[in-house]
Amino acid sequence: MLKEDSMNKKLLLLGIILLGGFSMVSAKSWDKVFAKSDKVTVKKVHFKNRYGIKLTGDLYIPKGVAKDAKLPAIAVSGPFGAVKEQSSGLYAQTLAERGFITLAFDPSYTGESAGTPRNVASPDINTEDFSAAVDYLSTHKNVDENKIGIIGICGFGGFALNAAAMDTRIKATVVSTMYDMTRVSANGYNDSVDEKARYKMLQDLNAQRTQDYKSGTYAKAPGLPEKLTGQEPQFVQDYFNYYKTPLGFHKRSINSNGNWNTTSALSLINMPILQRSAEIQNAVLVIHGEKAHSRYFGEDAFKKLKGNNKELLIIPGANHVDLYYKMDVIPFDKIEKFYKSNLK
């Protein structure tokens, strides 16, 4: 499924999402969009964040771990509007094969995680979700609580950096093909939205909020089209050909089979993340594709980071979505080396 065959080569590249105590049981069936590894075991786990929302994740453990072993661990989430059965699970499984305990989780209000109404995004709560995953990993019997890192993909790259600025337990952070969802929501792509246009957006969103309250329902934001016309921006075609085809489709994914709530954009517009990212002292690796439409988010975020334990890696020829699933493009050797150097 991860191989790029002649059909996949014909697929137009994929685009971005428009504006979206614990228990443990065995995962009963393989419901991921990537092939199952025979080198790891997978368990469904549940844990609560600081707001009392129960999150659901898949815990990947290398096979053959000694009963009393203490391993480094990594929590993974994203892309924005995706579920743990897509890219985050692929990253988690691959790094578990390389000796880490990993946790791919669904953010609040999405996938198998709790929270109502559904399909809500929040700069605060989605940042908190990473820290909740660290809570869980810190108490796992086989995790060294002093060796925990996180990975944020796409929009959760921005939330991962935001979490790293707040949560000093996070010893190393990787952000892959990142978006700053608060920046793009408030300013549009390439910061093309000015103050006047933003005010009009706020008027429309607040009018919708009134209507939602009257109706008791939540209007849905535009999402990916059900069919391509060929006139869409290339990045939208790229998103479509991941989320809307067998390559990456998953029924619980907002990008595959749903829409964000329209009014989610309000807090994203008004509460910018990365305000304290310059104060991150622990290691950070920012990865982006050379040809990604979103590359400026990663490069600008990197410019704010300080210290000699921060690194920017640009993947030649790669676009935004290539880093979701292409095993020959995602730099797993580099990621493994980064974590082994910084989780020690």
Side-chain angles (χ1 to χ4, degrees):
M1 190 174 286
L2 293 174
K3 279 187 169 179
E4 193 175 7
D5 55 22
S6 58
M7 185 194 318
N8 291 339
K9 288 178 181 177
K10 292 178 183 177
L11 293 176
L12 303 168
L13 301 172
L14 161 112
I16 181 151
I17 330 151
L18 299 176
L19 301 326
F22 59 82
S23 62
M24 179 182 292
V25 295
S26 296
K28 293 182 179 180
S29 61
W30 193 253
D31 59 352
K32 327 301 182 197
V33 303
F34 49 90
K36 185 177 183 180
S37 171
D38 60 4
K39 298 177 182 178
V40 304
T41 60
V42 188
K43 297 285 186 180
K44 191 82 71 180
V45 301
H46 307 285
F47 53 98
K48 288 185 178 181
N49 69 16
R50 191 165 53 87
Y51 296 101
I53 299 170
K54 186 168 79 170
L55 305 181
T56 299
D58 288 327
L59 188 71
Y60 293 81
I61 302 177
K63 285 186 176 179
V65 172
K67 192 174 182 180
D68 59 350
K70 292 286 189 180
L71 301 182
I74 304 166
V76 193
S77 197
F80 188 78
V83 287
K84 64 189 179 301
E85 291 78 14
Q86 296 171 314
S87 302
S88 61
L90 174 63
Y91 276 67
Q93 177 177 264
T94 304
L95 289 167
E97 291 177 327
R98 295 169 180 242
F100 302 91
I101 290 177
T102 59
L103 174 62
F105 66 91
D106 289 332
S108 296
Y109 308 108
T110 67
E112 292 185 308
S113 288
T116 55
R118 304 303 292 165
N119 299 4
V120 172
S122 163
D124 181 16
I125 294 175
N126 292 145
T127 298
E128 158 63 20
D129 289 341
F130 271 111
S131 288
V134 174
D135 292 341
Y136 173 82
L137 290 171
S138 296
T139 61
H140 191 279
K141 65 179 182 178
N142 291 122
V143 170
D144 185 333
E145 65 179 295
N146 296 309
K147 298 179 180 179
I148 296 176
I150 62 174
I151 298 176
I153 307 166
C154 182
F156 276 80
F159 296 136
L161 275 183
N162 209 43
M166 174 183 69
D167 193 335
T168 57
R169 300 173 301 171
I170 298 168
K171 303 304 182 185
T173 301
V174 170
V175 296
S176 181
T177 195
M178 78 162 274
Y179 263 65
D180 176 344
M181 292 307 304
T182 59
R183 179 178 176 182
V184 74
S185 297
N187 301 335
Y189 284 105
N190 299 304
D191 300 324
S192 58
V193 172
D194 61 15
E195 184 176 339
K196 182 178 179 180
R198 184 162 46 253
Y199 189 79
K200 178 61 167 63
M201 275 199 305
L202 291 172
Q203 287 181 310
D204 292 343
L205 287 166
N206 283 293
Q208 185 59 60
R209 181 169 180 156
T210 301
Q211 291 303 312
D212 288 351
Y213 190 82
K214 288 178 178 179
S215 67
T217 61
Y218 293 89
K220 301 303 179 183
L224 292 171
E226 290 305 312
K227 292 183 179 180
L228 292 177
T229 66
Q231 301 304 308
E232 296 85 358
Q234 185 62 52
F235 74 92
V236 173
Q237 297 181 41
D238 293 345
Y239 282 125
F240 180 95
N241 287 304
Y242 179 74
Y243 288 113
K244 294 290 191 177
T245 74
L247 181 64
F249 178 88
H250 196 281
K251 64 182 180 181
R252 287 192 294 271
S253 170
I254 294 171
N255 300 333
S256 292
N257 199 33
N259 303 75
W260 289 101
N261 287 356
T262 297
T263 53
S264 285
L266 281 165
S267 61
L268 293 171
I269 289 169
N270 202 46
M271 300 177 189
I273 57 175
L274 307 184
Q275 299 304 296
R276 298 285 181 268
S277 61
E279 299 176 17
I280 297 172
Q281 295 188 21
N282 290 320
V284 177
L285 172 62
V286 178
I287 303 169
H288 233 110
E290 176 191 17
K291 297 183 178 180
H293 69 285
S294 53
R295 177 176 168 178
Y296 71 100
F297 291 119
E299 291 182 326
D300 287 355
F302 178 76
K303 290 173 186 175
K304 293 182 65 176
L305 302 176
K306 299 176 182 177
N308 58 10
N309 58 353
K310 314 297 189 293
E311 185 174 353
L312 174 65
L313 177 63
I314 302 298
I315 306 300
N319 67 37
H320 181 86
V321 176
D322 288 342
L323 288 164
Y324 284 10
Y325 72 99
K326 289 189 177 180
M327 296 297 289
D328 59 343
V329 175
I330 302 170
F332 281 117
D333 288 345
K334 173 64 178 178
I335 295 170
E336 176 186 359
K337 182 179 178 181
F338 169 79
Y339 280 120
K340 286 184 174 177
S341 296
N342 292 289
L343 299 179
K344 61 181 182 179

